[in-house]
Amino acid sequence: DIGFLPADVNQNGCVNPLDVTRFRQIVNDIFDPSPGVEEDYADINRNGSINPLDLTALRQLIFGTGNATQGWASECMEHARP
């Protein structure tokens, strides 16, 4: 199964304020994601590097502003498996 939830930085299946916290932890080298590289989690605009534009893109995805097609705040993925 493959799923992708925009703005779900901490990969818990839901978009919430903890995603912004995890983003900042990754950027400040406080948290190192073990199953991948930092860009897999915090490179929100997928340009190959983590920079301030990623934080802007993350906020836009959460609130549905800017280039975001919708606000993803409080959205969750279905976890049920067949």
Side-chain angles (χ1 to χ4, degrees), residues 9 18 24 31 35 39 41 68 81:
V9 176
L18 295 176
R24 290 183 175 163
F31 177 79
E39 285 79 8
Y41 298 87
R81 292 187 180 245

Side-chain angles (χ1 to χ4, degrees), residues 8-29:
D8 185 17
V9 176
N10 63 3
Q11 301 294 303
N12 70 350
C14 292
V15 178
N16 54 42
L18 295 176
D19 293 300
V20 176
T21 301
R22 182 53 47 105
F23 177 87
R24 290 183 175 163
Q25 289 173 339
I26 291 171
V27 168
N28 292 315
D29 288 326

Side-chain angles (χ1 to χ4, degrees), residues 60 65-70:
Q60 289 175 346
T65 60
N67 293 328
T69 57
Q70 75 176 60

Side-chain angles (χ1 to χ4, degrees), residues 29-44:
D29 288 326
I30 295 170
F31 177 79
D32 187 27
S34 57
V37 295
E38 292 177 347
E39 285 79 8
D40 292 341
Y41 298 87
D43 185 14
I44 305 299

Side-chain angles (χ1 to χ4, degrees), residues 44-70:
I44 305 299
N45 60 11
R46 303 289 186 232
N47 67 356
S49 66
I50 301 171
N51 56 48
L53 294 176
D54 291 302
L55 180 56
T56 300
L58 177 61
R59 289 179 176 162
Q60 289 175 346
L61 284 169
I62 290 172
F63 297 112
T65 60
N67 293 328
T69 57
Q70 75 176 60

